[in-house]
Structure formats: C-alpha cells, structure tokens
Amino acid sequence: MHTMVVRMSIDPERADEAARHLREDVVAWARQQPGFVNGQWLRSPDGSEGIGVVVFASPDTAASAARGPRSYHRDDSRAWNVEDVTIYEQLTSA
C-alpha cells in the first residue's frame, strides 16, 4: 500500500470553512479515487495547519490521486492552501 500525505496551510480565522471543505468536498473526492483504502484528515491545535493521510492500494493509484491536490494553485483568498503532496510506501502498520 501507498499513502498520500497532503500538507495544508489553514487560515485560523476561517478554520470552520476549511473543515467544511474537507468533510464535504475532499472526503467525497477521495472515496471516488481508484484504489482508495482509507483516509484521515487532521488539524493542528492552533488551527493553522492540516494534514491529509490517504491510503491507496498501489503506488500508481496513489500517484494518480496526488494529481488532484497538486493541481491547486496558491490562492490566498481561500481558507486553505495545499503546501505539499508526498507519496510514501507503507512499510508496516500496527
């Protein structure tokens, strides 16, 4: 399995808007991706950062899905911005 980690910046003043985007848009998008296994979306205690940890069945499905968040260009008028997208090979789990 391979995991896509998406690091986001969040405007803390608009944290609710960013959370809505994750719950309503991103989760639905992720579930539709080929090879989707599961995902978690996390927010820092101060509300300024978020991380999506999304597991896919193969490196190809993870790489294909990564094109989605990588396509977002910075837009400071949004409540959130994608800062980085990295694919990791899962070595083990507990």
Side-chain angles (χ1 to χ4, degrees):
M1 290 207 247
H2 282 69
T3 301
M4 174 179 69
V5 177
V6 179
R7 189 173 56 84
M8 299 171 60
S9 58
I10 299 171
D11 177 351
E13 300 293 318
R14 298 170 64 194
D16 289 344
E17 186 179 337
R20 184 215 50 81
H21 167 65
L22 290 170
R23 288 185 191 111
E24 295 177 11
D25 304 327
V26 175
V27 170
W29 171 85
R31 286 181 173 154
Q32 294 175 0
Q33 299 309 299
F36 172 79
V37 175
N38 63 54
Q40 293 185 20
W41 291 266
L42 314 167
R43 185 171 56 196
S44 64
D46 69 357
S48 69
E49 295 179 309
I51 295 178
V53 181
V54 188
V55 179
F56 291 92
S58 73
D60 292 338
T61 56
S64 178
R67 287 195 286 269
R70 285 180 177 152
S71 71
Y72 282 99
H73 299 287
R74 175 166 280 287
D75 180 351
D76 290 329
S77 69
R78 276 197 308 256
W80 54 269
N81 276 290
V82 173
E83 300 297 336
D84 186 54
V85 181
T86 306
I87 305 296
Y88 294 92
E89 178 183 6
Q90 182 176 317
L91 299 178
T92 189
S93 65

